[in-house]
Amino acid sequence: MPPSPIDLKQERGAIKKKWTGRLPVALLFPNVYELAMSNLGLQQVYAMVNGADDMVCERVFLPPGPAVPLSVESGRPLADFPVILCALSFEHDYLNLLRLLRWGNIAPLSDQRAPLLGPGEPLVIGGGVATFINPEPLAPFIDLFWVGEAEAGFMELLAPLAKAWTRGMPERSEFLAAAALAGPGRYVPSLYDFCYGADGTLAEIKGGMADLPLPVTKVIAPPGSPVAHSTLLTPNTEFSDLYLAELGRGCSRGCRFCAAGFVYRPPRLWEPEAIIQALAEKDQHCQRVGLLGMEMAHPEDLAAVASHLTDHGCALSFSSLRADALSPELLELLAASKLKTAAIAPDGASERLRRVINKGLTSADLITAARSLVAAGVVNLKLYFMIGLPTETEDDLTELLELVAMIKEEIDVIGRKRGRLTAITVSLNSFVPKAWTPFQYVPFAGVRVLKKRLKLIRQGIKELANVRLKVDRPDTAFFQAVLARGDRRLAPALLAMAEGKRNWRQVMADFDLDPLTFAGPRGEDEQLPWQVIAHHIKPGYLWQEYQRGLAEKKTMACEPAICKRCGVC
């Protein structure tokens, strides 16, 4: 067997087990190794499955070009594994998943796989946040979706397969029927029928078996679960040798565009003591720490964790910071970490739009945060904005330019005193409406509109020295919007896209699919395909939040102990 192109000697924490007497499980991340190894959920599942003595779990990633996908640990082809776990966090990885199955000589469509489970005819299980926001675009390709968090019983799903492996695997339909009825968190899409009306809207979802759950309940980690943290470290990743630990899951803020703030309800913040315990498990030689969820953490908790890291000589890294959560302790740690790059996310272009999206940040908050970060030593400041939000006008974009100019003016004062100005990168992403958010009813703004708004901002940014603009492609965002609120009718087109190189719009036209069927507006009483999953948000709540957004009304942050607004608690 050809050796793996990834050097395991550079990894710390990789697990190699003998296959004899064990169920082989492929953990497939449909993107490149360098990106995948920064995914904490992937590392969690890898450690959990390998923790079972009767299973062996090996990782498979997207190769650089069309080739048989090989596992990292032993270089075995994907078809050697009777069980494939697919970790899906982003819609744009859907096509990569289908390519990997094809390159691995595995039938992409679940109904084309043989009745008897085994090598070459694997059980394909989908998981990850993208699949419990909206699993439907991938429904025809996946045998079973694990709906929720792996700590909440996922190993109980695999256990019968491991027991059966040495004496002969069960039939696919037999196992799937039993699994679907065995408890929450198990969605077998082939057992459900989606009926559409003449107007193209969903008329009914029907279960094909008695007692089949409808909707399927998401599962979450039980109280007291350990804080997720890195179990694998490698220099060959997006964040080289960075030890990651999470501060919590979900977000109490309730930004109306953000799916994580709704599908992870109730928001769970880990206690500082539990986070510090997770940090204590890191390799003593690893002094770079990344904290996930800093936007949701309480300032006093961040201060306690920051003090611990400072006392132990650790340097801090993070993706972005909540502009109103910069405590003196955190700023001191940032300075001690000699952190040169930091990001804050205004998201909305104007203060008015930040009320629409329930962001809760003023221009003064953002300017103060930028000034504090630069004073702590940051020389590269990133500002994340979205364009195409509901009710957005050119006046909002003008205010964006004014805000950037004000931030630049404030931080340049600090830069001149120290002899080095801070560079600003303005990152503009097109807003993509997501399922299970108040903005799931909003149409995608449209490629022409977004290009026009990008042109306006480009012209304004040109007038600001030492400010760089980074943008996404509106057409790419349009395709993401189709996938984000799509359904299983997309499957034939997705398979054709994975097999060829034609433009996604051309392929959809070949199958008589209108992108606006999926990316257009949705009605208040319309049944939505992702409602096959239950997140326990009470009927009407998301529409009410959408209306509050249009009225620029603030919704207070979640307080699970006392708040009953959305119905989850």
Side-chain angles (χ1 to χ4, degrees):
M1 202 64 63
S4 167
I6 297 163
D7 187 358
L8 286 177
K9 292 179 182 177
Q10 296 190 46
E11 289 189 336
R12 284 172 284 165
I15 301 169
K16 291 192 72 172
K17 298 171 73 174
K18 292 182 179 180
W19 281 40
T20 305
R22 293 187 171 104
L23 173 70
V25 177
L27 180 54
L28 187 153
F29 191 97
N31 213 307
V32 296
Y33 173 87
E34 291 77 13
L35 178 65
M37 290 309 298
S38 297
N39 186 287
L40 209 50
L42 178 90
Q43 296 200 24
Q44 271 188 292
V45 173
Y46 179 74
M48 287 172 61
V49 179
N50 273 318
D53 186 60
D54 54 0
M55 302 182 205
V56 53
C57 182
E58 300 191 358
R59 295 161 291 157
V60 179
F61 304 112
L62 187 71
V68 175
L70 304 177
S71 71
V72 172
E73 284 73 11
S74 66
R76 294 176 187 255
L78 187 61
D80 279 7
F81 294 84
V83 176
I84 298 177
L85 310 180
C86 307
L88 294 150
S89 300
F90 312 104
E91 292 93 351
H92 283 304
D93 284 342
Y94 292 177
L95 295 182
N96 287 338
L97 171 62
L98 303 185
R99 293 181 182 115
L100 282 164
L101 293 175
R102 287 183 60 252
W103 296 345
N105 296 314
I106 294 164
L109 290 163
S110 61
D111 63 6
Q112 293 179 354
R113 297 180 198 127
L116 192 64
L117 294 173
E121 303 294 344
L123 181 72
V124 179
I125 300 175
V129 65
T131 66
F132 61 86
I133 294 174
N134 180 17
E136 283 308 294
L138 289 179
F141 308 107
I142 301 294
D143 290 310
L144 181 147
F145 287 101
W146 180 257
V147 183
E149 298 170 355
E151 303 99 323
F154 180 65
M155 294 305 295
E156 295 171 13
L157 173 70
L158 295 183
L161 293 170
K163 288 180 180 178
W165 174 241
T166 54
R167 61 177 186 268
M169 292 285 273
E171 287 193 350
R172 189 181 308 275
S173 59
E174 174 190 323
F175 174 81
L176 292 174
L181 299 174
R186 302 155 187 243
Y187 173 42
V188 179
S190 61
L191 299 179
Y192 296 78
D193 292 317
F194 286 65
C195 307
Y196 289 87
D199 61 355
T201 60
L202 180 61
E204 186 182 9
I205 304 173
K206 296 189 295 185
M209 287 170 46
D211 300 323
L212 199 64
L214 182 63
V216 177
T217 299
K218 172 196 68 180
V219 292
I220 63 173
S225 297
V227 171
H229 57 80
S230 294
T231 57
L232 273 163
L233 289 173
T234 171
N236 303 313
T237 185
E238 188 175 358
F239 304 108
S240 177
D241 282 328
L242 183 68
Y243 184 90
L244 298 172
E246 62 179 5
L247 300 178
R249 291 187 192 167
C251 182
S252 63
R253 306 284 183 164
C255 295
R256 296 179 176 119
F257 61 86
C258 178
F262 291 88
V263 301
Y264 280 110
R265 292 192 174 198
R268 289 153 288 157
L269 287 167
W270 309 144
E271 294 296 329
E273 295 77 15
I275 298 165
I276 290 169
Q277 176 59 41
L279 294 173
E281 295 184 28
K282 70 177 179 60
D283 186 323
Q284 62 178 345
H285 300 295
C286 178
Q287 294 302 102
R288 296 179 63 245
V289 172
L291 298 177
L292 304 180
M294 289 183 69
E295 285 234 327
M296 64 177 286
H298 296 311
E300 58 271 23
D301 293 346
L302 272 178
V305 174
S307 295
H308 170 84
L309 292 174
T310 300
D311 292 344
H312 288 77
C314 294
L316 176 65
S317 180
F318 54 87
S319 55
S320 66
L321 281 168
R322 178 82 186 182
D324 55 0
L326 291 173
S327 65
E329 293 88 350
L330 184 56
L331 289 167
E332 181 182 344
L333 175 58
L334 295 179
S337 301
K338 296 182 170 56
L339 195 69
K340 300 304 178 187
T341 300
I344 51 179
D347 290 318
S350 68
E351 207 155 297
R352 184 192 70 81
L353 272 180
R354 290 192 286 278
R355 291 195 297 271
V356 170
I357 65 178
N358 205 43
K359 185 70 179 182
L361 292 175
T362 66
S363 296
D365 292 331
L366 297 163
I367 292 168
T368 299
R371 189 168 53 228
S372 298
L373 289 169
V374 173
V378 167
V379 293
N380 297 293
L381 180 66
K382 296 179 181 179
L383 302 173
Y384 295 142
F385 292 95
M386 286 184 288
I387 58 168
L389 286 164
T391 78
E392 183 180 85
T393 67
E394 289 191 1
D395 288 342
D396 297 307
L397 305 184
T398 299
E399 189 172 323
L400 182 157
L401 294 169
E402 291 170 350
L403 174 62
V404 174
M406 286 189 288
I407 289 174
K408 174 177 168 52
E409 183 179 354
E410 289 281 339
I411 66 176
D412 278 356
V413 173
I414 301 169
R416 291 189 189 99
K417 287 181 180 178
R418 71 179 174 204
R420 181 178 179 181
L421 295 179
T422 291
I424 297 176
T425 299
V426 174
S427 180
L428 279 182
N429 291 300
S430 302
F431 165 63
V432 173
K434 296 289 181 114
W436 290 110
T437 70
F439 289 167
Q440 67 181 3
Y441 306 100
V442 176
F444 181 70
V447 173
R448 285 186 182 179
V449 170
L450 292 169
K451 286 183 174 179
K452 182 180 178 183
R453 293 177 184 176
L454 283 174
K455 183 179 179 181
L456 187 154
I457 293 174
R458 276 197 181 97
Q459 290 171 341
I461 292 292
K462 283 180 182 177
E463 300 175 10
L464 298 172
N466 210 31
V467 177
R468 186 169 72 98
L469 182 64
K470 183 180 178 182
V471 302
D472 65 357
R473 293 180 61 244
D475 192 66
T476 301
F478 188 15
F479 182 45
Q480 186 185 355
V482 170
L483 296 177
R485 292 187 298 168
D487 55 49
R488 54 182 71 186
R489 290 176 294 179
L490 287 171
L494 292 179
L495 191 55
M497 291 176 209
E499 293 172 345
K501 296 182 180 179
R502 299 182 67 211
N503 178 282
W504 70 270
R505 295 200 205 205
Q506 294 172 332
V507 174
M508 288 193 68
D510 290 345
F511 289 91
D512 199 27
L513 293 169
D514 181 357
L516 293 179
T517 299
F518 312 100
R522 301 297 178 106
E524 177 183 3
D525 299 319
E526 183 177 343
Q527 186 169 14
L528 303 168
W530 47 90
Q531 289 172 339
V532 71
I533 304 300
H535 290 286
H536 301 300
I537 297 172
K538 68 183 180 184
Y541 178 77
L542 293 175
W543 179 267
Q544 292 165 14
E545 269 297 289
Y546 173 37
Q547 300 307 305
R548 287 180 66 82
L550 296 179
E552 302 174 28
K553 292 182 178 179
K554 179 179 180 179
T555 295
M556 299 301 292
C558 289
E559 295 183 73
I562 59 172
C563 165
K564 308 296 180 189
R565 288 190 302 269
C566 74
V568 172
C569 294

